[in-house]
Amino acid sequence: VSEKYSDAFLERQTVQVLPEVGCAVDNMDTTKIEESIELQTIQSLSEENIIAFAYNISPEKTRLETVFGQEDNHRIRITVDIQNQRIMSPIRMMWERKTSDTSTGGTIADGGGLDGRTVSRLMGDRIRPKFVENHGDIVDDDGDALIRLPHSICLRKNSGEGGSVEIFLDGKEDAKIQFDL
């Protein structure tokens, strides 16, 4: 993922490695996606190394993305879609790793030659499949929900007046990102 933020736009290039196409391990197939996204809101908690933004993906649906910076150039991206003031499935959790101080602008796989060994090296040792240990909604009588994700990330839907979605690290609720619905 290569991204540039401004007050109103996000420019993003993503290279996705596709599963087992052709001689998969020797020359992996990829797809490149370039997006220019008009942002509704952008929030940042620099002391916590968190950035979040919201944008419309259709007239009825809003996407919320929150990126938690981690040590060793890693980060975790949580993507949630909201429709009719409801959290929609699936909630996406992606591990990302900065591999260079100079962005390739999504050209890392141009011309082929991206093999399994290179992909494994670029991913690094910390990126492993993670499973939700405590999953599902915990709903109280008011219709609020708390969803606990791996790595102490929590997502809370508040159904009060207008409703909101909060994303925070467990135990650090004072450093939360809040989106009004």
Side-chain angles (χ1 to χ4, degrees):
V1 176
S2 175
E3 297 175 322
K4 292 181 184 175
Y5 303 94
S6 69
D7 289 339
F9 284 92
L10 166 67
E11 303 291 332
R12 174 169 41 205
Q13 295 89 31
T14 306
V15 175
Q16 181 179 16
V17 179
L18 302 175
E20 302 189 35
V21 177
C23 299
V25 176
D26 294 331
N27 192 9
M28 303 183 93
D29 199 10
T30 61
T31 182
K32 179 179 174 182
I33 301 169
E34 294 187 27
E35 301 172 284
S36 179
I37 301 167
E38 184 175 359
L39 301 175
Q40 291 177 308
T41 62
I42 186 165
Q43 300 177 45
S44 176
L45 296 174
S46 57
E47 67 277 0
E48 298 293 332
N49 204 11
I50 301 171
I51 189 165
F53 43 92
Y55 55 93
N56 290 330
I57 54 175
S58 74
E60 316 74 41
K61 195 181 285 188
T62 300
R63 178 159 292 160
L64 313 177
E65 289 191 34
T66 305
V67 180
F68 294 86
Q70 306 285 303
E71 56 191 44
D72 300 331
N73 291 321
H74 287 78
R75 62 187 187 181
I76 299 172
R77 179 182 307 269
I78 306 297
T79 305
V80 180
D81 292 342
I82 305 293
Q83 185 171 0
N84 298 323
Q85 296 193 348
R86 296 185 61 208
I87 298 172
M88 307 302 292
S89 292
I91 296 172
R92 295 169 203 82
M93 181 175 187
M94 295 156 279
W95 271 88
E96 300 172 350
R97 179 172 177 250
K98 181 179 174 182
T99 58
S100 172
D101 287 332
T102 306
S103 173
T104 67
T107 62
I108 194 165
D110 287 357
L114 192 59
D115 58 34
R117 182 177 180 193
T118 302
V119 170
S120 178
R121 180 181 54 79
L122 291 171
M123 285 174 49
D125 294 334
R126 283 190 57 196
I127 298 182
R128 306 236 189 282
K130 301 289 180 184
F131 298 95
V132 176
E133 296 165 9
N134 181 4
H135 60 281
D137 287 357
I138 301 169
V139 180
D140 66 21
D141 293 336
D142 296 331
D144 294 347
L146 175 67
I147 302 169
R148 295 182 189 276
L149 301 171
H151 302 284
S152 300
I153 296 173
C154 296
L155 181 97
R156 179 184 303 139
K157 180 186 176 287
N158 299 311
S159 60
E161 186 178 327
S164 67
V165 172
E166 300 170 347
I167 302 174
F168 57 93
L169 294 173
D170 202 8
K172 293 188 174 185
E173 292 186 48
D174 55 329
K176 66 184 172 210
I177 297 290
Q178 180 172 323
F179 296 99
D180 295 327
L181 301 176

